[in-house]
Amino acid sequence: MIVAISGAGGLIGSEVAKAISASGGSVLRLVRRPPRGEDELQWDPAQGVAAAEWLSACDAVVHLAGAGLADRRWTPARKRELRDSRVPATMNLCRSLASLSTPPRVLVMASAMGIYGDRGDERLDESSPIGRGFLAEMARDWEGAADPARERGIRVVMLRFGLVLSPRGGVLAKMLTPFRLGLGGPLGHAHAWWSWVAIDDIVGLVRHAIATPALAGPVNATAPHAVTSGEFARALGRALGRPALFPVPAFVLRLVLGEMADAAVLTSLRVEPGRAIESGYRFLYEDLGPALAHLLPRGG
């Protein structure tokens, strides 16, 4: 199997590329700089893939590129960058795929559980209505940007990522230092729901989406058992052998993060991976404790 990957140098993309190569597949990395080898193909998010015919040899495309949501404060300019790196970029990639006489059979693309907005204690599945706010509206348009691929007959799977747990990046990596110093605690509202997923299961879900012909449309990429912010903090404290006694109030997060605090940290999302389970995916880590023990061996 030959799989083209955008964002192959990122936290998720690098792990997906490694897993595909380890299983005997070939990876074609879509890069914005000039290619440095035969395993790379240049693309421009603002234009698409110039030499798109090379993608005809691919069985699947995994589209993970996009500016990091939590990398910087959400100024108006940053919000434009976040949107432009997802919506037009996805549209242009899908137009390139649709132009091929023999396109790849499947496109697996990143999306975000933020599409549901802030929903309190409501249990959310893929049929739940889309929420409100910048992140929800961006995710809606992001998924809609894949229409050229769908209209061409390419099977499109949109993985709505939850909080991806990895010690190498994302929310878990940002929390490790204060927790190791004994200064950890819940972020914002202790009763807000956090829908998390281990990086190993994200890789597994990408591969499952590629290999499952009946799977198309939105798929919640979250572990089956969401936890509250307070439960997450206590579980992380136990994994590190540290207390979790110092909550970070919502107003402090808003001062530090601005609008991003309400959109990405203080929201309550109890998301359930119904379609993944129904289609036969078995999670490696359904519960947070074992996931953290795996990701942070011996309190790492």
Side-chain angles (χ1 to χ4, degrees), residues 48-63:
V49 184
E53 63 273 10
W54 287 96
L55 295 173
S56 292
C58 295
D59 300 285
V61 175
V62 177
H63 179 40

Side-chain angles (χ1 to χ4, degrees), residues 8-282:
L11 175 67
I12 296 171
S14 60
E15 294 296 325
V16 170
K18 188 190 307 180
I20 290 171
S21 297
S23 65
S26 298
V27 172
L28 179 65
R29 292 168 171 82
L30 301 181
V31 297
R32 288 178 286 179
R33 53 169 172 74
R36 296 173 182 163
E38 294 182 354
D39 64 341
E40 294 184 347
L41 179 65
Q42 189 170 17
W43 83 300
D44 180 353
Q47 300 292 330
V49 184
E53 63 273 10
W54 287 96
L55 295 173
S56 292
C58 295
D59 300 285
V61 175
V62 177
H63 179 40
L64 301 171
L69 288 172
D71 290 355
R72 285 184 244 155
R73 193 181 179 95
W74 286 6
T75 63
R78 180 59 175 173
K79 286 166 71 174
R80 284 193 299 273
E81 185 179 359
L82 292 172
R83 181 181 172 83
D84 290 348
S85 69
R86 288 168 170 79
V87 181
T90 299
M91 178 74 75
N92 292 325
L93 174 61
C94 289
R95 284 173 174 165
S96 294
L97 297 176
S99 72
L100 300 172
S101 58
T102 308
R105 294 191 298 271
V106 57
L107 167 67
V108 179
M109 60 173 281
S111 182
M113 69 174 181
I115 197 168
Y116 299 115
D118 186 1
R119 304 293 277 270
D121 293 328
E122 182 181 356
R123 293 179 181 269
L124 302 165
D125 61 22
E126 290 85 355
S127 67
S128 299
I130 292 171
R132 298 178 180 177
F134 168 73
L135 191 55
E137 292 163 8
M138 181 182 71
R140 175 200 63 200
D141 296 343
W142 189 9
E143 293 185 2
D147 282 348
R150 273 187 288 266
E151 292 164 2
R152 180 64 179 82
I154 299 170
R155 179 169 61 90
V156 178
V157 182
M158 297 92 73
L159 293 178
R160 293 174 173 173
F161 292 163
L163 297 171
V164 179
L165 302 188
S166 166
R168 298 196 303 109
V171 65
L172 180 59
K174 293 179 186 298
M175 295 177 75
L176 288 179
T177 297
F179 270 81
R180 284 173 176 148
L181 294 173
L183 301 174
L187 298 181
H189 311 298
H191 299 293
W193 287 98
W194 282 25
S195 294
W196 60 277
V197 60
I199 184 73
D200 309 68
D201 277 311
I202 285 292
V203 173
L205 283 163
V206 169
R207 297 180 66 189
H208 176 74
I210 292 173
T212 308
L215 193 60
V219 175
N220 290 335
T222 60
H225 302 144
V227 297
T228 65
S229 174
E231 290 169 339
F232 189 99
R234 290 191 291 274
L236 182 54
R238 285 194 296 271
L240 295 173
R242 296 290 189 273
L245 304 175
F246 297 94
V248 182
F251 79 89
V252 173
L253 291 169
R254 291 188 180 104
L255 285 173
V256 174
L257 301 176
E259 181 182 351
M260 181 173 60
D262 285 298
V265 180
L266 297 173
T267 54
S268 181
L269 286 167
R270 194 175 188 179
V271 180
E272 300 179 341
R275 298 199 64 219
I277 293 172
E278 289 165 7
S279 63
Y281 183 72
R282 288 190 171 187

